[in-house]
Amino acid sequence: MSNNVYAEIGVSDKVYSLGEQVLHELHDRFEAIDQTAEYNQAKVIAAMQKNRVSAACFAATSGYGYNDVGRDTLERVYADTFHTEAALVRPQITCGTHALAVALSANLLPGDELYSPVGRPYDTLEEVIGIRESACSLAEFGITYSETPLLPDGSIDYESIRTAIHPNTKLATIQRSKGYATRPTLSVQQIGELIRFMKEIKPDLVCMVDNCYGEFTEKIEPSDLGADMIVGSLIKNPGGGLAPIGGYICGTQHCIDRCAYRLSAPGLGQEVGANLGLMPQLYQGFFLAPTVTAAATKGAIFAAALYEKLGFRVVPSSAEDRHDIIQAIELGSEEAMVAFCSGIQAAAPVDSYVTPIPWDMPGYDSKVIMAAGAFVQGSSIELSADGPIRPPYAVYFQGGLTWSHSKLGVLMSVQKMLDASLISL
Ligand SMILES: *Cc1c(COP(=O)(O)O)cnc(C)c1O
């Protein structure tokens, strides 16, 4: 392919050629990702066909939203795609943390214990649970919390889990993605084994999976292997980049009924909640989600392979199987983080002229740098990178609605590193 357009946009021949060289070795990986996308695409289409999705589903509703065919059908589409009895998919769920907070507070009562068998959950859940004190936390309502850390090699500590589960243990929360931690992401298979093990000890234990960033990276989801609820954000994978807001909870009828009562009000449940005209984006986004997730996964693997070649430590490595779309790259210095992020920013379709700089973000103990030029604000299924300015100076790179954009972002990041003399080619 002629790389004139790359020269025009600022990627030198040297960087472009290095990229092509690395890509050559990724052929088989990319083929496998395309197969997963093809499988999941068929799964989504089958669910849409089964539920007779039609133009009537795209109509806007307002007010109470009684008898909202579009909303109810979308929830059936999610439930059938993820093979669950029921689903709650709403623009009124404002983000992933909100969806998780609803799922937890709806299914835990005073005196119950919440248990994480895979170590400390995502940052924002600490206040939901009450690990960090907060008004309205689960702790304030008399719900206790315990956790079992992963073993030093990142594997599950089955022996400790056996003794940690007791009669009050009501709900286990399992986070699939590593998020911004350094542990490995769990595969759906690993999650399935963990659920089976815990339910042998306590058959009525409710198992919830924080599915954020994991959807459609594999052919099965945790709900296929025993999870009672899977929970995620629509401005990540399942929104396909088109959903402007929203969250989902898919699971057993019993759990979802309770979630709906918690989200709206006891007695109202899923019957209310106008769709505000967002149905076209939520349907089309879900339709696109398998291929968008594949594009993002390819970008992550390309970044891993390219930065490995340049001598940096990357997590996961370019050869490892993927169970989410997050790529960590340890760049070793603040200057390198700034250069990397300015490359991602310079490749964006929106706000490309902006220069990302480290800043003191509320709630963090070190400066944070973020690069994103997204159509939907804060969307992390779109190409983005961020990280705290502290050793090992790791950037977390994710997203890309198309593989071509992801590729451009990674090449541009290398170019900026080269321009700043932080690498040599
Ligand atoms: C993104 C994410 C969440 C929720 O984050 P929001 O920003 O509230 O959408 C929860 N858990 C994990 C693992 C995540 O990646």
Side-chain angles (χ1 to χ4, degrees):
M1 183 169 82
S2 155
N3 61 2
N4 285 344
V5 70
Y6 279 102
E8 205 175 299
I9 207 167
V11 175
S12 64
D13 284 350
K14 247 187 190 169
V15 169
Y16 182 80
S17 315
L18 177 68
E20 291 310 288
Q21 202 184 317
V22 165
L23 263 183
H24 195 69
E25 290 152 28
L26 295 176
H27 184 266
D28 292 351
R29 294 296 313 273
F30 280 24
E31 186 110 339
I33 290 166
D34 286 337
Q35 275 171 20
T36 300
E38 189 178 318
Y39 184 92
N40 286 329
Q41 181 75 83
K43 204 157 71 165
V44 169
I45 292 171
M48 289 189 172
Q49 292 179 347
K50 180 181 166 200
N51 290 288
R52 303 174 67 89
V53 172
S54 70
C57 296
F58 305 148
T61 60
S62 59
Y64 293 108
Y66 291 134
N67 303 313
D68 186 329
V69 175
R71 176 197 68 205
D72 294 348
T73 304
L74 182 68
E75 290 181 333
R76 285 311 317 159
V77 168
Y78 264 72
D80 287 333
T81 302
F82 295 145
H83 305 129
T84 58
E85 289 171 5
L88 189 62
V89 185
R90 301 283 167 132
Q92 286 82 9
I93 300 177
T94 54
C95 62
T97 305
H98 186 196
L100 288 157
V102 167
L104 292 173
S105 52
N107 289 283
L108 287 157
L109 293 173
D112 288 341
E113 183 149 291
L114 167 65
Y115 173 57
S116 170
V118 294
R120 187 58 54 96
Y122 196 72
D123 256 44
T124 56
L125 284 187
E126 292 191 2
E127 278 165 285
V128 172
I129 295 167
I131 299 170
R132 264 185 290 142
E133 206 174 308
S134 172
C136 300
S137 69
L138 295 174
E140 217 186 44
F141 285 90
I143 294 156
T144 57
Y145 169 75
S146 74
E147 66 186 27
T148 298
L150 292 170
L151 291 167
D153 69 351
S155 63
I156 295 168
D157 186 355
Y158 280 103
E159 277 323 299
S160 300
I161 291 171
R162 188 188 298 285
T163 55
I165 295 175
H166 54 80
N168 287 351
T169 313
K170 174 70 181 297
L171 192 153
T173 177
I174 304 165
Q175 185 179 310
R176 178 172 174 181
S177 172
K178 64 182 167 303
Y180 299 130
T182 47
R183 68 149 167 104
T185 289
L186 300 171
S187 70
V188 174
Q189 204 62 45
Q190 279 176 299
I191 291 170
E193 280 162 24
L194 174 59
I195 291 172
R196 186 149 36 82
F197 179 82
M198 291 193 296
K199 290 206 178 209
E200 267 167 27
I201 298 165
K202 193 167 190 293
D204 64 350
L205 180 70
V206 177
C207 293
M208 181 194 86
V209 175
D210 174 351
N211 211 25
C212 282
Y213 285 133
E215 300 92 350
F216 298 124
T217 57
E218 298 188 48
K219 289 179 183 168
I220 53 171
E221 301 291 337
S223 44
D224 289 307
L225 297 182
D228 298 289
M229 286 186 282
I230 59 172
V231 184
S233 163
L234 299 197
I235 63 166
K236 293 179 180 171
N237 308 15
L242 292 186
I245 191 171
Y248 77 88
I249 308 169
C250 296
T252 63
Q253 191 70 56
H254 176 77
C255 287
I256 299 303
D257 283 346
R258 293 194 65 95
C259 291
Y261 276 14
R262 176 51 66 226
L263 179 67
S264 59
L268 299 182
Q270 286 182 279
E271 305 293 322
V272 296
N275 74 49
L276 307 172
L278 296 173
M279 284 298 119
Q281 291 107 300
L282 299 202
Y283 276 100
Q284 197 175 352
F286 197 56
F287 171 79
L288 291 174
T291 48
V292 168
T293 301
T297 310
K298 286 177 183 174
I301 293 173
F302 181 52
L306 196 44
Y307 277 88
E308 257 171 10
K309 203 173 194 79
L310 293 169
F312 294 92
R313 180 164 181 267
V314 299
V315 183
S317 77
S318 64
E320 276 172 73
D321 277 341
R322 300 284 160 152
H323 314 294
D324 68 7
I325 63 166
I326 313 280
Q327 182 64 49
I329 305 168
E330 293 181 7
L331 293 168
S333 73
E334 173 166 350
E335 298 70 47
M337 287 180 78
V338 171
F340 184 99
C341 288
S342 61
I344 298 302
Q345 193 74 39
V350 181
D351 294 336
S352 64
Y353 52 87
V354 168
T355 308
I357 49 167
W359 63 299
D360 285 303
M361 201 172 138
Y364 287 80
D365 54 6
S366 50
K367 286 187 177 183
V368 173
I369 187 164
M370 295 184 166
F375 294 102
V376 172
Q377 286 176 40
S379 167
S380 46
I381 187 62
E382 296 189 52
L383 191 67
S384 47
D386 41 68
I389 308 284
R390 59 165 183 245
Y393 299 99
V395 287
Y396 295 87
F397 165 84
Q398 66 268 314
L401 298 185
T402 68
W403 151 237
S404 306
H405 180 212
S406 242
K407 175 180 173 181
L408 177 64
V410 176
L411 291 176
M412 199 65 106
S413 76
V414 173
Q415 185 68 50
K416 296 286 184 188
M417 298 271 288
L418 186 63
D419 294 347
S421 307
L422 293 159
I423 53 169
S424 52
L425 297 184

